[in-house]
Amino acid sequence: PRGDAVPPVPPGDWSRDAVINWLKGTRNDLQAPAVRLEPAIGVALDAMAAQAGVGFVRMSGSGATVIGLFETFERARAAADRLRNGDIEGWAMATNLGAGSAVS
């Protein structure tokens, strides 16, 4: 954590809504500087945020990945399809967290 910032306690309930609410109380201190240095990250964040059914969007780590958490797997899959066929460079994959397998 940065300075006096204390991250929120993880939820006891790991449902989608509880995790999204918890994540909204956290931050990635590297996101703003990474976007300034590499504007394509901001483009990817905006593209993910524009997808139907997305509940949370963030850059992962130092910028190698942009993640989106969705209402349903079907919405995640549709978003991945749109992102793969859109104007941004990169790749997109939908997966169920904890399902043990990734599905593109």
Side-chain angles (χ1 to χ4, degrees):
R2 179 181 68 188
D4 61 348
V6 177
V9 175
D13 167 15
W14 283 89
S15 67
R16 181 188 56 85
D17 289 340
V19 170
I20 286 173
N21 286 333
W22 171 62
L23 287 170
K24 286 179 178 180
T26 66
R27 67 177 185 253
N28 181 341
D29 291 336
L30 295 176
Q31 186 166 306
V35 169
R36 280 193 300 275
L37 289 171
E38 184 51 65
I41 297 168
V43 171
L45 287 163
D46 291 344
M48 182 68 78
Q51 301 304 308
V54 72
F56 180 80
V57 175
R58 177 156 309 147
M59 179 187 89
S60 172
S62 59
T65 304
V66 169
I67 61 168
L69 301 179
F70 287 81
E71 295 171 347
T72 65
F73 178 73
E74 292 75 22
R75 292 224 181 202
R77 180 178 282 178
D81 290 344
R82 281 189 300 275
L83 291 167
R84 275 195 300 273
N85 295 316
D87 294 333
I88 64 170
E89 292 186 40
W91 57 272
M93 173 182 269
T95 188
N96 269 328
L97 293 176
S101 65
V103 181
S104 60

